[in-house]
């Protein structure tokens, strides 16, 4: 989508300017003797001229502007406008030159002097002031439709020194500026005791860059930026420009054509489909110090971690960030999820992409409010004891011609090889991870969200598409790496650097990979080399896509056929400890014709809900962390749509007096409550000694039973039964003692997905089950219990 900035309403302190002239510019010269001495002036101290006169007339003009410089400035191709514009000492006085298109008159004012500049044509005005040093001065600009008695008084942008230091430029060139957002973009600031905004942008291939915005009525002619050496950075400080102003960069491409681009480092953007960048600064006062102080107290893989995935714009359609802050934390806390995961919140032009085609990597989407409004939401979640994860998309970006694609006229953020740049699945462009500045842009972006918005974790989207050069490509469509392999070595190095940087700078933050292959070492430390010769990627957790696919395939079969697919429920334990896993039932599984979770399941409505509950019970007991997408916590039957969000009306008692949807939600609440209170279910998720099969081969019965152990050896017994029949006197072998106890007197049912309040048939084991000295399943003792239909039950030692 492409949108031109809308014309802003005139502001009282500005004079509207007409459209810029169209084509060629006449050459104008001035009659001046460069060897003439400056006129005599009254000595009033350094830099002070003659007493101010009410009607000064025209001051003498300096040497004429070289035709090449004039042409380059007017065409937006000058790399050093500060050398031409502004005030400069000469042998004959201080020469001042201004570019103000469509101005009728320009007057310079300094201490003790006031002089009207000569109109040199094409918007140029100049004068030779009888001064020995450059004074502090202002400009008074009069336009045709303005009152000549009340001219527009402005500071001259071209009298200011650069706002970026050598260290910033060095770090950017090295690709090691970990706080890049503080150096590039638009920053309100005070510079040389003047308040304004610093604009900086990386555009190394540009012949010139200018700024267009509300403050100049989107005519960039008079606002060329300067190039800071070989860094590729362009910079300009604009006095009096402040928060709320919209802007873009007018870039002259290598071929001389122009493109108007949003700021890649913009920290705020217009509400789509408009796409201008907005000057912003944060004024939020954080209240989550206690949360941040204790966030790193316990490693995430040894802590409870159950995640509610949400698409913010559609969770409660129409709510702002601040309105969400009054509803979302209460809902998450009521269901006892430990974390919420937000689908991408970075700015994106098309709502139907759900945020996965990002154009504003540093700007929270403005659809629901300002960046500080988003901070307010994160703060509210933290104050409610809820961690905040965010989907992050460094794998690709869209081709919108106002955003990153060929940003300065040539491939810049994307790979220069078109075959490497084009993402084969989504019609987007892949980043050039081998370019230091691009890698820096992304690494800094990861830390930006953690540090500026206190995000607790990044779930990195589409990692597999980054890791493989042949991803979704046929033979002949990709080029092997330097070693002849299919691995994208640049992407590997980028992910390692990103993870190492995020963990070093932000204690307690977690990174999570959505990686759908068997890449070795996704959650291994970056300094540990695996069998493939690569260091670990350094992620904290990885989505277990294999478990998700296999388990959903199993439960989608009719119960009578599940015995032929029993291994799909047990195979995950073959590799469960090869990585640190999250078990995801995400948005990807309930869209595009895949149906919602409950609708995937066979049978009538009762059996579908029962299987849904049993599956969740199995998921919460299985080694690994849990993630559930919104709507699945109450068994929504329809696929999710970003247009209307979850079907909340299903929870209204007036819809149904039966505890069907409400019962599933009550179960999720109890699953989380029991899970969090039971260390056996999370403390040893990455330790094989924390798990033991009791019955993994009961395919005919559709039964799976296993033990989970905490660090003290205290067990929890989980039994999932995926048949619609009741099984009485079902015998299971159990341990006779824990590590710190002589024995286990009895087993007590602590969770049963078949309870009537969940919508089940209420088949239970109400009394403690005492072990009998009957060897079973390789254990000296066993218990007999009743298995409810299509259910999961959890038992703990009494």
């Amino acid at each position: 989508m492409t949108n031109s900035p809308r014309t802003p309403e005139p502001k009282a302190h500005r004079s509207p300017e007409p459209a810029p002239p169209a084509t060629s510019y006449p050459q104008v010269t001035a009659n001046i003797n460069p060897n003439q001495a400056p006129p005599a002036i009254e000595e009033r101290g350094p830099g002070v001229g003659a007493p101010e006169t009410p009607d000064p007339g025209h001051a003498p003009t300096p040497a004429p502007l070289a035709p090449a410089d004039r042409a380059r400035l007017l065409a937006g191709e000058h790399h050093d406008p500060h050398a031409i514009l502004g005030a400069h000492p000469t042998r004959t006085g201080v020469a001042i030159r201004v570019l103000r298109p469509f101005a009728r008159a320009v007057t310079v004012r300094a201490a003790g002097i006031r002089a009207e500049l000569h109109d040199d044509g094409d918007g140029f005005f100049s004068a030779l002031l009888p001064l020995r040093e450059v004074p502090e001065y202002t400009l008074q600009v009069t336009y045709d439709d303005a009152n000549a008695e009340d001219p527009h008084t402005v500071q001259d942008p071209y009298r200011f020194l650069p706002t970026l230091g050598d260290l910033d430029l060095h770090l950017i060139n090295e690709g090691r500026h970990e706080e890049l957002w503080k150096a590039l973009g638009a920053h309100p600031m005070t510079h040389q005791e003047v308040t304004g905004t610093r604009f900086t942008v990386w555009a190394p291939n540009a012949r010139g860059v200018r700024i267009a915005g509300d403050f100049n009525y989107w005519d960039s002619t008079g606002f060329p930026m300067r190039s800071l050496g070989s860094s590729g950075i362009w910079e300009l400080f604009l006095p009096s420009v402040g928060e709320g102003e919209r802007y873009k960069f007018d870039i002259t491409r290598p071929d001389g054509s122009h493109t108007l681009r949003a700021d890649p480092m913009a920290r705020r953007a217009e509400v789509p489909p408009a796409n201008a960048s907005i000057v912003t600064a944060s004024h939020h006062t954080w209240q989550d110090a206690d949360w941040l102080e204790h966030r790193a107290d316990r490693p995430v893989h040894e802590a409870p971690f159950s995640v509610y995935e949400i698409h913010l714009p559609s969770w409660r359609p129409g709510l702002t960030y601040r309105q969400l802050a009054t509803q979302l934390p209460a809902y998450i806390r009521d269901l006892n999820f430990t974390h919420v995961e937000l689908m991408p919140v970075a700015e994106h032009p098309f709502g139907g992409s759900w945020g996965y085609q990002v154009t504003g990597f540093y700007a929270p989407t403005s659809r629901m409010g300002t960046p500080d409004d988003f901070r307010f939401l994160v703060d509210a979640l933290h104050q409610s004891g809820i961690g905040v994860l965010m989907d992050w998309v460094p794998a690709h970006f869209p081709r919108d011609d106002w955003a990153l694609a060929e940003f300065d006229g040539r491939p810049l953020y994307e790979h220069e090889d078109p075959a490497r740049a084009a993402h084969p699945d989504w019609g987007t462009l892949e980043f050039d991870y081998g370019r230091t500045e691009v890698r820096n842009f992304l690494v800094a972006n990861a830390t930006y969200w953690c540090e500026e918005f206190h995000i607790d974790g990044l779930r990195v989207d589409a990692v597999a598409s980054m890791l493989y050069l042949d991803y979704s490509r046929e033979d002949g469509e990709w080029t092997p790496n330097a070693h002849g392999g299919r691995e994208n070595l640049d992407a590997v190095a980028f992910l390692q650097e990103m993870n190492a940087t995020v963990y070093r700078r932000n204690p307690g933050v977690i990174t999570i990979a959505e990686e759908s292959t068997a890449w070795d070492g996704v959650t291994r430390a970056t300094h540990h080399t695996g069998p493939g010769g690569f260091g670990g990627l350094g992620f904290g957790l990885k989505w277990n896509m294999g478990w998700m696919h296999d388990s959903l395939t199993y439960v989608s079969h009719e119960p009578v056929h599940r015995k032929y697919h029993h291994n799909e429920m047990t195979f995950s334990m073959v590799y469960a400890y090869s990585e640190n896993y999250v078990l995801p039932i995400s948005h990807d599984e309930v869209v595009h014709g895949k149906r919602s979770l409950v609708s995937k399941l066979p049978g009538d409505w009762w059996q579908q809900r029962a299987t849904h509950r049993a599956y969740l019970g199995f998921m919460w007991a299985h080694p690994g962390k849990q993630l559930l997408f919104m709507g699945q916590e109450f068994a929504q039957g329809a696929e999710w749509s970003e247009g209307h969000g979850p079907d909340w009306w299903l929870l209204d008692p007036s819809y149904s007096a039966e505890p069907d949807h409400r019962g599933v939600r009550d179960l999720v609440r109890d699953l989380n409550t029991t899970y969090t209170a039971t260390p056996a279910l999370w403390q040893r998720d990455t330790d094989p000694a924390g798990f033991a099969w009791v019955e993994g081969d009961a395919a005919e019965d559709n039964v799976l039973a296993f033990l989970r152990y905490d660090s003290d050896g205290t067990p929890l017994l989980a039994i999932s039964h995926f048949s619609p029949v009741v099984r009485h006197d079902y015998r299971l072998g159990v341990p006779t003692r824990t590590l710190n106890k002589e024995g286990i007197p009895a087993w007590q049912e602590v969770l049963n997905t078949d309870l009537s309040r969940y919508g089940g048939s209420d088949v239970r084991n109400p009394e403690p089950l005492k072990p009998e000295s009957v060897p079973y399943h390789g254990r000296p003792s066993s218990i007999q219990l009743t298995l409810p239909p299509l259910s999961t039950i959890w038992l703990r030692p009494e």
Side-chain angles (χ1 to χ4, degrees):
M1 301 175 64
T2 59
N3 297 84
S4 300
R6 63 180 183 275
T7 303
E9 292 295 325
K11 299 187 179 181
H13 66 281
R14 298 186 182 130
S15 300
E17 301 177 5
T23 54
S24 61
Y25 301 92
Q27 301 301 310
V28 177
T29 61
N31 221 350
I32 187 166
N33 182 356
N35 298 317
Q36 180 180 349
I41 59 174
E42 179 182 349
E43 190 67 46
R44 289 172 171 262
V48 178
E52 183 177 313
T53 57
D55 186 15
H58 288 289
T61 59
L65 180 62
D69 284 329
R70 173 187 288 263
R72 289 172 63 200
L73 282 168
L74 293 174
E77 297 180 357
H78 208 294
H79 72 286
D80 190 14
H82 290 70
I84 308 299
L85 303 177
H88 301 275
T90 70
R91 291 189 303 108
T92 55
V94 173
I96 185 166
R97 182 171 281 108
V98 174
L99 177 56
R100 289 282 162 170
F102 317 114
R104 181 159 56 86
V106 179
T107 299
V108 60
R109 297 194 64 162
I113 194 169
R114 176 171 176 262
E116 185 174 342
L117 276 59
H118 181 267
D119 186 348
D120 298 332
D122 302 330
F124 288 98
F125 296 83
S126 66
L128 184 65
L129 304 183
L131 304 174
R132 294 183 177 87
E133 296 181 8
V134 175
E136 292 190 4
Y137 64 92
T138 58
L139 303 174
Q140 291 182 330
V141 186
T142 303
Y143 294 92
D144 284 336
D145 59 349
N147 185 348
E149 301 301 320
D150 185 24
H152 185 32
T153 300
V154 298
Q155 295 280 351
D156 185 359
Y158 299 93
R159 77 173 183 86
F160 293 92
L161 297 171
T163 55
L164 278 186
D166 290 339
L167 179 59
D168 284 314
L169 297 177
H170 172 75
L171 292 174
I172 291 171
N173 284 339
E174 291 289 319
R176 292 292 184 269
H177 204 307
E178 295 178 359
E179 296 181 342
L180 188 66
W181 67 92
K182 295 182 179 180
L184 299 183
H187 289 266
M189 62 187 304
T190 299
H191 180 51
Q192 295 178 210
E193 300 183 356
V194 174
T195 300
T197 295
R198 177 191 72 198
F199 293 88
T200 46
V201 64
W202 178 59
N205 298 308
R207 291 170 64 172
V209 183
R210 301 182 293 194
I211 302 174
D214 290 337
F215 39 83
N216 59 16
Y217 295 95
W218 297 93
D219 173 30
S220 65
T221 308
F223 294 82
M225 304 175 74
R226 64 177 146 208
S227 174
L228 299 180
S230 61
S231 65
I233 306 297
W234 300 78
E235 180 264 359
L236 183 63
F237 175 74
L238 290 184
S240 302
V241 173
E243 294 181 53
E245 300 277 14
R246 300 176 305 146
Y247 70 98
K248 284 187 176 183
F249 295 114
D250 176 2
I251 297 174
T252 307
R253 299 183 178 104
D255 64 1
S257 63
H258 285 253
T259 178
L260 198 61
R261 297 290 175 136
D263 184 357
M265 301 292 297
R267 291 168 294 144
R268 184 182 173 190
E270 283 190 288
V271 178
N275 52 50
S277 304
I278 300 177
V279 179
T280 190
S282 177
H283 303 284
H284 179 73
T285 301
W286 289 94
Q287 305 291 329
D288 62 350
D290 185 66
W291 170 268
L292 296 181
E293 180 181 355
H294 295 288
R295 183 173 63 181
D297 286 353
R298 184 164 49 188
V300 68
H301 60 279
E302 297 176 0
F305 192 88
S306 62
V307 183
Y308 183 70
E309 187 189 22
I310 176 175
H311 179 252
L312 276 180
S314 69
W315 185 71
R316 298 278 191 182
L319 294 189
T320 66
Y321 289 128
R322 290 185 181 266
Q323 291 168 335
L324 284 163
T326 67
Q327 297 189 28
L328 183 59
Y331 187 77
I332 303 299
R333 187 173 60 247
D334 175 63
L335 294 183
N336 292 314
F337 283 96
T338 66
H339 290 73
V340 61
E341 180 176 315
L342 310 177
M343 290 167 67
V345 298
E347 194 59 87
H348 50 283
F350 177 47
S353 77
W354 313 328
Y356 290 98
Q357 295 199 11
V358 178
T359 50
F361 281 80
Y362 284 79
T365 180
S366 54
R367 290 169 173 84
M368 293 166 286
T370 68
D372 269 359
D373 293 338
F374 179 61
R375 288 181 175 92
F376 185 87
L377 171 60
V378 176
D379 207 347
L381 287 161
H382 283 172
Q383 292 177 61
S384 296
I386 300 163
V388 183
L389 314 175
M390 187 187 86
D391 280 11
W392 186 55
V393 192
H396 63 125
F397 58 92
R399 295 175 179 265
D400 299 74
D401 61 7
W402 49 266
L404 295 183
E406 292 193 353
F407 180 75
D408 59 2
R410 291 179 181 167
L412 188 66
Y413 290 90
E414 66 270 42
H415 201 281
E416 63 181 0
D417 179 355
R420 287 279 299 273
H423 197 291
D425 288 346
W426 303 313
T428 53
L429 295 169
E430 297 184 12
F431 283 101
D432 183 359
Y433 305 108
R435 185 160 191 166
T436 56
E437 297 92 343
V438 174
R439 191 172 65 245
N440 193 172
F441 173 84
L442 293 171
V443 172
N445 186 242
T447 64
Y448 168 78
W449 290 103
C450 298
E451 295 176 21
E452 291 291 325
F453 295 94
H454 292 197
I455 296 297
D456 302 297
L458 299 172
R459 176 269 195 184
V460 183
D461 183 65
V463 171
S465 74
M466 302 164 64
L467 291 175
Y468 298 98
L469 296 170
D470 62 345
Y471 184 86
S472 286
R473 293 175 171 91
E474 301 296 331
D475 290 344
E477 296 178 345
W478 62 282
T479 303
N481 62 34
H483 307 292
R486 58 196 285 252
E487 300 85 3
N488 187 337
L489 304 180
D490 292 333
V492 172
F494 155 66
L495 291 170
Q496 291 172 328
E497 180 182 346
M498 181 277 296
N499 280 313
T501 304
V502 166
Y503 278 102
R504 172 171 48 81
R505 291 181 61 101
N506 301 279
V509 165
I510 184 74
T511 60
I512 306 166
E514 186 216 14
E515 202 284 311
S516 55
T517 73
W519 182 280
D520 179 63
V522 172
T523 59
R524 189 169 57 235
T526 58
H527 60 280
H528 289 166
T529 302
F534 296 100
L537 296 184
F539 286 94
L541 296 169
K542 172 184 172 175
W543 275 19
N544 193 334
M545 311 295 281
W547 172 89
M548 176 272 298
H549 177 270
D550 290 346
S551 62
L552 288 180
T553 299
Y554 173 85
V555 293
S556 66
H557 290 293
E558 293 284 349
V560 69
H561 298 140
R562 285 173 181 160
K563 62 184 177 182
Y564 303 112
H565 301 272
H566 194 75
N567 67 308
E568 292 170 355
M569 291 293 267
T570 60
F571 180 67
S572 60
M573 290 312 302
V574 173
Y575 61 87
Y577 301 103
S578 61
E579 302 280 4
N580 304 332
Y581 282 117
V582 175
L583 311 179
I585 300 298
S586 73
H587 66 278
D588 278 332
E589 307 315 313
V590 296
V591 292
H592 300 323
K594 296 180 182 179
R595 297 175 292 172
S596 69
L597 176 55
V598 72
S599 297
K600 298 176 190 290
L601 309 175
D604 58 23
W605 177 231
W606 190 96
Q607 289 182 329
Q608 285 181 309
R609 283 185 296 115
T611 306
H612 183 107
R613 296 192 304 268
Y615 181 77
L616 294 180
F618 171 77
M619 173 181 173
W620 254 253
H622 191 285
K625 312 306 180 182
Q626 296 79 37
L627 179 140
L628 192 65
F629 182 60
M630 64 183 193
Q632 312 316 300
E633 79 273 19
F634 58 85
Q636 173 175 316
E639 280 191 354
W640 167 67
S641 165
E642 78 278 359
H644 65 260
D647 292 332
W648 296 111
W649 55 271
L650 294 172
L651 297 170
D652 190 338
S654 63
Y655 164 72
S656 173
E658 299 298 322
D660 46 8
H661 297 284
R662 296 189 307 280
V664 174
R665 188 178 63 174
D666 290 342
L667 169 65
V668 170
R669 179 188 299 111
D670 291 349
L671 281 170
N672 278 326
T673 302
T674 308
Y675 165 80
T676 304
T678 308
L681 290 172
W682 43 262
Q683 200 170 56
R684 302 171 79 179
D685 270 331
T686 60
D687 180 1
F691 175 90
W693 281 112
V694 172
E695 177 57 275
D697 297 321
E700 292 289 338
D701 299 335
N702 294 346
V703 170
L704 302 110
F706 52 85
L707 291 158
R708 300 292 307 277
Y709 293 95
D710 66 18
S711 58
D712 292 331
T714 301
L716 177 135
L717 176 60
I719 308 108
S720 291
H721 176 218
F722 288 101
S723 285
V725 298
V726 179
R727 298 192 188 279
H728 297 281
D729 299 324
Y730 201 84
R731 187 171 293 276
L732 293 170
V734 293
T736 56
R737 60 179 53 82
T738 64
L739 293 179
N740 58 355
K741 295 180 181 179
E742 289 300 317
I744 300 175
W747 294 81
Q748 180 70 49
E749 190 177 276
V750 295
L751 185 131
N752 184 334
T753 66
D754 191 51
L755 296 186
S756 57
R757 68 189 189 91
Y758 302 146
S761 57
D762 215 31
V763 175
R764 297 184 290 168
N765 295 275
E767 300 300 324
L769 302 170
K770 296 183 178 180
E772 304 174 47
S773 298
V774 178
Y776 215 74
H777 294 131
R779 292 179 171 82
S781 299
S782 57
I783 57 173
Q784 280 189 312
L785 70 162
T786 299
L787 299 184
L790 298 172
S791 65
T792 291
I793 59 176
W794 295 352
L795 306 173
R796 276 197 309 225
E798 188 180 36

